Amino acid sequence: MCSGGFAKCLGISLLPLAIICVLCNILLFFPDGKVIESEHITKQVWYFGGILGSGVLMIFPALVFLGLKNNDCCGCCGNESCGRRFAMLSSILFAAVGVLGAGYSVIVSAVAINQGPLCFYDSETNGTIWGYPFSEGNYLSDKNLWNKCQEPKNVVHWNLALFAVLLAMGLIQIALCAVQVVNGLLGALCGDCCGCCGGVI
C-alpha cells in the first residue's frame, strides 16, 4: 500500500477514537448520569484530557493524514513527487502533535485512576465530607472499598470505566501516530509509493 493511502487509513481510524474520547470526557461531568455541582466533580475531569488531548489535538493530525492520499502539491519547481515527499515529511510534525495530545490524556487518565474519584464519604477524622477517600490506587485491588463513596452513586464505577476507556484510546492513538511517523519517513524518502521510486507516483 502506498504511504499516502496508509496515512488515510490511519486518519480514518483516529477520527472515531477522538470522538469517543470527547464523549467520555463529557460523560465524566455527569457521574452516574446525573447533574451534580461543579465543585463535586473529580478535578482530573476539568483537565479536559479527552476533549483537548485525545480530542481536539487529535483532529488536526487525523485530517492531515486523510488529505495525504489526495495531495496534489506541485512540489519543488513543478516536481509533484517532491511535493508529495514534503507533505509526507510534514505529516510527521502533526503526528508528533497527536502523540503529545494523546500522551496528555493518558497521563491525566492514569493519575485519575490511581487517585480515585471525588465523592461524599465518612472520614475517620473529619466526619462526612467531600474528598478523595482512596490513596495510591488501593481501591483497584479491593472492591469492598468502593462502598466508602456514598454520593454520587456508582461514581467509582463511572469514573473508573470512563477513565480506563480514555487511557486505552490514548494509548492506541499514540501507537497510530507513531506508525505515521515511520510511514511519513518512508514516504519522504521513497515518495508516495516505496515500490514506485523513480517511477510514476
Side-chain angles (χ1 to χ4, degrees), residues 39-46 112 115-121 129-135 148-149 159:
E39 60 266 24
H40 295 157
I41 295 173
T42 304
K43 63 182 178 182
Q44 283 81 17
V45 178
W46 294 100
Q115 176 183 270
L118 173 67
C119 64
F120 190 65
Y121 75 104
I129 60 169
W130 281 92
Y132 296 90
F134 311 118
S135 62
K148 279 188 174 183
C149 286
N159 274 30

Side-chain angles (χ1 to χ4, degrees), residues 3-12 14-15 57-71 86-98 180 183-184:
S3 55
F6 185 66
K8 183 177 181 179
C9 292
L10 293 177
I12 291 172
L14 286 172
L15 280 177
L57 284 179
M58 196 56 61
I59 294 295
F60 295 114
L63 294 177
V64 169
F65 299 166
L66 284 171
L68 288 175
K69 173 67 177 175
N70 301 319
N71 183 280
F86 179 77
M88 291 303 296
L89 188 61
S90 65
S91 74
I92 296 173
L93 296 176
F94 286 94
V97 170
Q180 177 53 30
N183 183 50

Side-chain angles (χ1 to χ4, degrees), residues 31 34 36 51 55 64 76 79 94 98 110 135-136 140 146 158 164-165 175-176 183 188 193 197:
K34 298 173 182 174
I36 65 171
I51 294 175
V64 169
C76 314
N79 186 335
F94 286 94
S135 62
E136 301 302 323
L140 295 173
W146 296 14
W158 190 266
V165 171
L176 292 176
N183 183 50
C193 296
C197 290

